[in-house]
Amino acid sequence: MDTEHAVYCGVDVGKSEHHAVALTADGQRVYDKALPNDEAKLRAVFDQLAGHGAILVVVDQPNTIGALPVTVARACGHDVGYLPGLSMRRVADLYPGQAKTDARDAFIIADTARTLRHTLRRVDVGDETLAELEVLVGFDDDLAGEATRVSNRIRGLLTSIHPALERVLGPRITHPAVLEMLYRYGGPQGLRTAGRRKLIALAIKHAPRMGTSLVDDIFTAFGAQTVVVPGTTAADAVLPKLAGSLKDVLQQRKSVAAQIEEMLDAHPLSVVLTSMPGIGVRTAARILLEVGDGSGFPSAAHLAAYAGIAPVTHRSGTSIRGEHPARFGNRKLKRALFLSAFAALHDPASRAYYDRKRAEGKKHNAALICLARRRCDVLHAMLRNRELYRAPAGSAA
């Protein structure tokens, strides 16, 4: 975003049509109209603006409904930028008026691109792998949400009719052995009717090591409750359907994960990211989608602030002092970095740093955020230098 441009075109994207405002370098408005979400119309406008010189096209959504104008602009040879939503909201407060219109938003985007270039982010849609990953990872996120919803529904149903059984099956609800038993025999009545012998034979197929002990725990739970709670019969009919639905969703996630892994292997940075302890296929894909090659962040501090894992200092006079977790940032990236830090606790260096923070009095989540922030320094260096992770010698990373 260091190149000087003759025209700054802000596009407030919409489903059927966008609104575009184009400003020259000195702030003169040369375009201010609704812009249909159509390739031919987009090309015509960009070609018209190109008559003034080099163009920078800036959008407020680079994906979904904003994908076509971004792709057309790139195809026409123009530079493309992205103004994040948080920056947009903060900058909007500097402009007069309280109206929320497409025309005003497009003007703010264009004027921000002209005067506050540092607020812009690069749009990496030119990378075909990232574009394909965006679709797959988004679908996987939807499947993960559905799996959580169905799992919670099953646990809630079991809790309402047989709490002791839920305490046995709930923590293992996504295990193939548990799902197969619920799918075939339903709830407590169906499982009891099937008998210990059938359940053990079924459980061992999917869990050779814990099959017998799992069934023993189930029948121990049956002994803890002698009454039949109203709704148990209906639950026995519903649970197989819920278990079948959860099985299908988990199978789809497994299939999508294989596609993501295959596609991720084609990206040159995948091996760099996955070399770091705690970063798997899904996390690496999410980091790539949110950060790209990392060149848009001058330092690790910029990356940490963007992710929302940098501590925020609150200090006023002598009475208010301290640091608090950020309440803003890229939530998807923040979640990925947080979960990767949790997964990295098996790594000796990461564990040592986490334990040190706990010894300082920090709670579990706060210590994980500190670890994620520390790992962010390493991650930024890895992306900048295109180097694999190297375990620190005698110090925590």
Side-chain angles (χ1 to χ4, degrees):
M1 297 301 170
D2 296 330
T3 305
E4 290 298 325
H5 297 87
V7 177
Y8 299 87
C9 181
V11 182
D12 182 64
V13 301
K15 182 178 180 181
S16 59
E17 67 176 17
H18 318 296
H19 196 100
V21 170
L23 303 175
T24 61
D26 58 2
Q28 180 183 356
R29 195 178 309 223
V30 293
Y31 190 91
D32 186 353
K33 293 181 182 178
L35 184 58
N37 196 19
D38 174 82
E39 180 181 351
K41 300 290 179 60
L42 289 165
R43 283 182 179 273
V45 171
F46 293 149
D47 289 345
Q48 174 188 337
L49 295 176
H52 296 275
I55 304 174
L56 173 61
V57 178
V58 183
V59 297
D60 58 344
Q61 277 192 65
N63 302 311
T64 60
I65 58 176
L68 183 60
V70 167
T71 306
V72 171
R74 277 284 176 83
C76 292
H78 306 309
D79 292 333
V80 181
Y82 161 54
L83 181 62
L86 179 61
S87 298
M88 173 71 180
R89 289 193 295 272
R90 288 179 172 175
V91 171
D93 290 337
L94 303 177
Y95 289 80
Q98 298 296 321
K100 177 68 175 70
T101 66
D102 295 342
R104 180 176 185 268
D105 288 348
F107 171 76
I108 292 173
I109 294 171
D111 201 42
T112 301
R114 184 179 69 88
T115 58
L116 300 171
R117 301 287 292 278
H118 67 279
T119 61
L120 304 183
R121 294 284 180 265
R122 291 175 53 185
V123 179
D124 294 318
V125 295
D127 191 325
E128 186 65 23
T129 301
L130 290 183
E132 299 293 332
L133 272 176
E134 178 69 40
V135 176
L136 287 177
V137 172
F139 181 51
D140 184 63
D141 288 343
D142 293 340
L143 290 175
E146 179 65 11
T148 300
R149 186 191 68 80
V150 178
S151 298
N152 289 341
R153 179 69 178 124
I154 293 174
R155 282 194 288 262
L157 200 54
L158 286 173
T159 300
S160 67
I161 61 172
H162 206 300
L165 181 61
E166 193 282 330
R167 286 193 288 272
V168 174
L169 301 182
R172 310 180 180 103
I173 202 65
T174 57
H175 193 286
V178 173
L179 283 178
E180 197 62 34
M181 284 190 287
L182 291 174
Y183 177 67
R184 292 199 184 188
Y185 302 115
Q189 290 182 346
L191 292 172
R192 195 192 300 268
T193 301
R196 185 187 299 268
R197 185 176 175 181
K198 282 187 178 180
L199 292 183
I200 290 177
L202 179 61
I204 287 178
K205 287 183 181 179
H206 299 279
R209 294 184 178 180
M210 75 168 195
T212 302
S213 62
L214 174 62
V215 174
D216 289 340
D217 291 342
I218 289 174
F219 277 86
T220 299
F222 287 158
Q225 181 174 318
T226 59
V227 298
V228 178
V229 175
T232 299
T233 301
D236 267 64
V238 170
L239 282 169
K241 296 179 175 60
L242 291 173
S245 176
L246 184 54
K247 281 176 57 180
D248 291 342
V249 171
L250 293 177
Q251 184 57 44
Q252 288 185 68
R253 286 205 75 194
K254 185 177 180 181
S255 175
V256 170
Q259 290 179 275
I260 292 175
E261 183 172 9
E262 181 180 353
M263 193 166 294
L264 195 63
D265 287 341
H267 198 284
L269 288 177
S270 65
V271 66
V272 174
L273 289 170
T274 54
S275 69
M276 191 175 196
I279 296 183
V281 173
R282 288 188 174 99
T283 306
R286 175 53 65 190
I287 292 173
L288 273 178
L289 290 174
E290 304 303 329
V291 175
D293 61 4
S295 60
F297 302 92
S299 68
H302 286 82
L303 178 58
Y306 177 66
I309 59 174
V312 178
T313 301
H314 288 185
R315 180 170 297 181
S316 178
T318 59
S319 60
I320 301 177
R321 292 175 180 269
E323 292 185 341
H324 305 275
R327 299 181 184 273
F328 48 82
N330 185 316
R331 293 185 179 182
K332 292 180 180 179
L333 180 59
K334 183 176 184 177
R335 183 173 185 272
L337 295 177
F338 181 86
L339 292 179
S340 71
F342 179 75
L345 289 180
H346 69 278
D347 174 61
S350 297
R351 186 76 199 196
Y353 185 82
Y354 168 84
D355 289 341
R356 192 158 72 243
K357 291 300 174 181
R358 290 303 303 270
E360 293 174 4
K362 294 187 181 295
K363 295 183 179 180
H364 171 69
N365 282 359
L368 279 181
I369 288 291
C370 290
L371 176 59
R373 174 63 185 90
R374 183 67 174 266
R375 283 163 53 87
C376 188
D377 291 343
V378 180
L379 181 64
H380 184 269
M382 289 166 57
L383 290 173
R384 181 190 62 212
N385 302 325
R386 303 295 191 271
E387 292 182 357
L388 301 182
Y389 175 83
R390 289 177 295 180
S395 62

